[in-house]
Amino acid sequence: MVGPSEDDLLVVGKITGCYGVKGWVKIHSYTEPRENFLRFGKWMLQRRGAAEPIEFDDGRVQGKGLVAHIAGVDDRTRAEAYSGLEVAVSADSLPTLEEGDYYWSQLQGLQVWCREDHEPDGDETDNSDTRVLLGTVDYLIETGANDVLVVKPSTESIDDRERLIPYLPGDVVTRVDLDRAVIEVDWFLEE
């Protein structure tokens, strides 16, 4: 039986170090809420460009993070070999979201377009506008108040500026079209 391909995997956390002396590790969870990491059940460890199964047979919230026990690993020395490795799950194991909600991984790589309004030149019937490409979503930042799209320039973008655009659906983000790989924003173009 073949496991999921690298393209089907989403990173959901990272092993950041050891916890105690009996094979427990600290995990920085990328899920919201963080304890959702423990609910997946079919984890894959990303090591040297390959994915291999890993099993956590126990885990819990500990302070601001998580700790988990790696099945079959019962000493600190063996657990240290896992430090710094990312943990992924199959994309189809994620819960289905409500309409209008997206996983960050779905937004990464989308082109970000902005409508550039033109002033009419004395002709009141000229209310045309054009769209300009700002770049592509490289990653997102969680700020507490709202998430922020980090938009990197591309070869076709209007300029070579990196932009930080608040991810505020209905306000700044006017449309997300996953089929066309496009996000439309109502954002000002700096001079």
Side-chain angles (χ1 to χ4, degrees), residues 12-15 24-43 54-70 87-89 93-95:
V12 292
K14 183 175 186 173
I15 299 173
W24 285 71
V25 292
K26 298 176 190 175
I27 297 174
H28 177 76
S29 173
Y30 301 149
T31 65
E32 182 62 41
R34 67 178 176 241
E35 56 270 13
N36 280 355
F37 176 94
L38 300 170
R39 295 188 181 121
F40 289 113
K42 291 187 180 181
W43 300 276
I54 185 171
E55 181 183 347
F56 298 105
D57 56 9
D58 197 3
R60 66 179 182 272
V61 173
Q62 181 72 32
K64 294 183 179 181
L66 301 174
V67 294
H69 181 262
I70 302 171
V87 180
V89 296
S93 68
L94 297 175

Side-chain angles (χ1 to χ4, degrees), residues 150-168:
V150 178
V151 179
K152 299 273 185 170
S154 61
T155 55
E156 301 87 23
S157 60
I158 189 170
D159 56 28
D160 61 355
R161 296 182 62 184
E162 178 180 291
R163 289 177 170 81
L164 302 177
I165 300 176
Y167 183 76
L168 296 170

Side-chain angles (χ1 to χ4, degrees), residues 3-155:
S5 74
E6 287 286 320
D7 293 339
D8 296 335
L9 294 177
L10 294 174
V11 176
V12 292
K14 183 175 186 173
I15 299 173
T16 59
C18 294
Y19 179 79
V21 295
K22 296 186 178 184
W24 285 71
V25 292
K26 298 176 190 175
I27 297 174
H28 177 76
S29 173
Y30 301 149
T31 65
E32 182 62 41
R34 67 178 176 241
E35 56 270 13
N36 280 355
F37 176 94
L38 300 170
R39 295 188 181 121
F40 289 113
K42 291 187 180 181
W43 300 276
M44 300 294 286
L45 194 64
Q46 295 190 312
R47 187 190 325 238
R48 294 183 204 101
E52 59 187 70
I54 185 171
E55 181 183 347
F56 298 105
D57 56 9
D58 197 3
R60 66 179 182 272
V61 173
Q62 181 72 32
K64 294 183 179 181
L66 301 174
V67 294
H69 181 262
I70 302 171
V73 176
D74 294 318
D75 65 77
R76 184 179 183 93
T77 303
R78 288 188 54 209
E80 285 174 348
Y82 294 90
S83 186
L85 299 177
E86 292 184 321
V87 180
V89 296
S90 176
D92 61 10
S93 68
L94 297 175
T96 303
L97 296 176
E98 292 182 28
E99 182 73 28
D101 288 340
Y102 304 96
Y103 288 109
W104 281 15
S105 61
Q106 291 176 298
L107 301 177
Q108 290 173 308
L110 298 185
Q111 290 185 330
V112 179
W113 290 85
C114 180
R115 193 159 303 282
E116 182 179 48
D117 295 324
H118 292 285
E119 293 292 324
D121 298 332
D123 181 1
E124 294 179 11
T125 61
D126 182 12
N127 60 2
S128 65
D129 54 24
T130 59
R131 293 182 338 146
V132 294
L133 179 62
L134 300 179
T136 58
V137 178
D138 190 43
Y139 59 97
L140 287 93
I141 301 171
E142 183 177 8
T143 65
N146 56 267
D147 299 330
V148 175
L149 301 168
V150 178
V151 179
K152 299 273 185 170
S154 61
T155 55

